[in-house]
Amino acid sequence: MAPSGVAGWSGPWRRFAVTFMATSVAGLVGVAALLFLIDPFDSGRSPVARPPGVPAPDVETSATSRLENASRGRDHAFQAAIIGNSRIQALEPENLSDATGIPFVSLVIQASRSREQLAVLDWFIRHREAPPKAIIIGLDMPWCDDRVSMSPTDPFPFWLYDRSRVAYLEGLLRYSVLAEYVPRYLGYLFGLRDRARPDGYWDYEPVYKKLGYDSPERRQKLQGPDAEVEVNLTGRFGAAEALAERLANLPPETTVFLVRPPVYVTGLGAAGSDQAKTDAACRAVHAALAAGRANTYLIDWRVDRPETRSPDGFIDHTHYRKSVARMIEAEIAAILKKVQAPGS
């Protein structure tokens, strides 16, 4: 029978309690130290220096860019980045690299909003030995929010991109990290798993095709309004203000592209609608962002133009195909080559 009262905690019971607590604390510290040493997401914090790289996901459709981009973002092989969500995902870094001679990496986070993308932007900038050559930021409608916001449905590991090592360690101390990600990363280190694509590009067209987005019924839906409509009539654009602060702190030699991704024409909103008013006000804010910093360009494809009237160029209202992406890449590359030209 266990002793009761404070006076009972003596002799064997006290020794047991002290031993148990000491063992538990030592075990926790040991696990934390091991995880820190292994650094299963290759954030570069481990005292054991390793070249950047993380294992490829088990299934192509289970992209884990939220975790993998910590490794890609610290990779000094890349001098330029594409940041945003799936609405800028179709831009292929290899094409931009070939066209400009600047190594690009895609740090896209599917289903992310401004808070997640700002965290990735900060991480990329923080891990450059020299000023970035270029940064492309996809400004879809979540960047028109009245405040900095994050996805309500897709949790993001802010701790992985945090400046604080304490926050990082707290994030590492999870059963899923120890049971799932550590074995995967060790398998990669020992050559048992392939490396994830270094430049981060992931082609979503085959995935959408398997889901039936090439069917006549899906194509017919393009002719109706976009079901995912976002409205902000407050006159406040907190997400854009937060981005303005980051842009102001970038070195002037970094070329910035603020890309308003295309939507199929029926997703623009009817004239005079709250959606159209939001879009117009937000466009003005984004234009002011570009005008307020030298070497910054607004690439606005969220307009009614021949390419956004062709259903062949779109999968749904907000996800476009390679044919459209190649034109956006060409526009960006032409500006970059002009900026880099001697005497420019």
Side-chain angles (χ1 to χ4, degrees):
M1 184 173 178
S4 60
V6 176
W9 287 98
S10 61
W13 282 103
R14 184 176 182 178
R15 287 196 298 272
F16 170 77
V18 171
T19 302
F20 178 79
M21 290 296 295
T23 303
S24 298
V25 171
L28 184 63
V29 171
V31 169
L34 179 64
L35 291 173
F36 186 77
L37 189 68
I38 294 173
D39 191 15
F41 304 111
D42 188 41
S43 69
R45 295 181 176 95
S46 173
V48 180
R50 307 185 196 99
V54 287
D58 294 320
V59 183
E60 183 183 0
T61 55
S62 62
T64 54
S65 57
R66 286 165 173 74
L67 302 169
E68 294 169 355
N69 282 349
S71 175
R72 296 183 181 119
R74 78 171 186 91
D75 191 341
H76 294 154
F78 299 109
Q79 300 172 12
I82 304 166
I83 293 172
N85 55 29
S86 61
R87 289 156 189 173
I88 200 72
Q89 182 176 336
L91 299 192
E92 189 164 355
E94 186 175 3
N95 293 338
L96 289 164
S97 300
D98 289 344
T100 65
I102 299 173
F104 271 84
V105 63
S106 177
L107 300 178
V108 163
I109 304 286
Q110 291 80 18
S112 63
R113 297 175 78 92
S114 56
R115 189 178 298 277
E116 296 97 328
Q117 292 168 36
L118 286 170
V120 172
L121 174 62
D122 291 341
W123 178 266
F124 177 73
I125 294 169
R126 207 157 67 231
H127 286 82
R128 304 273 67 75
E129 293 179 326
K133 297 285 188 182
I135 296 176
I136 300 170
I137 304 173
L139 300 182
D140 63 339
M141 288 309 287
W143 281 99
C144 299
D145 286 355
D146 62 342
R147 67 190 190 285
V148 177
S149 61
M150 61 183 181
S151 171
T153 57
D154 292 272
F156 183 80
F158 288 102
W159 54 268
L160 182 56
Y161 298 85
D162 202 291
R163 287 180 179 272
S164 168
R165 289 182 182 269
V166 174
Y168 170 66
L169 281 172
E170 289 176 351
L172 279 182
L173 290 173
R174 301 162 190 257
Y175 176 77
S176 60
V177 173
L178 191 61
E180 180 180 354
Y181 294 106
V182 167
R184 289 180 67 235
Y185 186 58
L186 290 177
Y188 162 71
L189 290 180
F190 287 105
L192 303 177
R193 302 181 68 102
D194 293 331
R195 181 183 179 182
R197 180 164 170 163
D199 70 3
Y201 178 67
W202 179 43
D203 183 4
Y204 58 46
E205 284 199 33
V207 177
Y208 277 111
K209 188 172 183 178
K210 289 179 182 177
L211 294 174
Y213 277 75
D214 274 342
S215 68
E217 293 78 14
R218 289 284 188 177
R219 289 171 65 87
Q220 185 60 35
K221 284 188 176 182
L222 280 173
Q223 306 311 318
D226 183 5
E228 299 180 13
V229 173
E230 301 197 33
V231 171
N232 174 18
L233 301 179
T234 66
R236 300 187 302 272
F237 296 92
E241 291 171 6
L243 179 57
E245 294 175 3
R246 268 63 170 197
L247 297 183
N249 291 322
L250 279 174
E253 57 265 42
T254 299
T255 306
V256 176
F257 296 93
L258 305 178
V259 179
R260 287 170 52 88
V263 298
Y264 189 65
V265 67
T266 54
L268 290 174
S273 66
D274 287 349
Q275 182 185 3
K277 292 176 183 177
T278 298
D279 197 14
C282 191
R283 174 178 288 107
V285 170
H286 293 165
L289 279 179
R293 180 187 179 274
N295 203 15
T296 302
Y297 301 88
L298 180 67
I299 308 294
D300 192 359
W301 272 69
R302 191 183 171 88
V303 293
D304 184 350
R305 55 187 289 169
E307 295 85 356
T308 60
R309 286 183 168 271
S310 171
D312 292 335
F314 287 82
I315 294 168
D316 58 24
H317 283 92
T318 57
H319 294 89
Y320 44 95
R321 298 182 184 274
K322 293 186 182 73
S323 58
V324 177
R326 298 299 85 85
M327 288 186 278
I328 300 173
E329 292 166 0
E331 188 172 344
I332 291 171
I335 294 173
L336 261 179
K337 285 189 283 189
K338 184 177 179 181
V339 169
Q340 294 181 97
S344 60

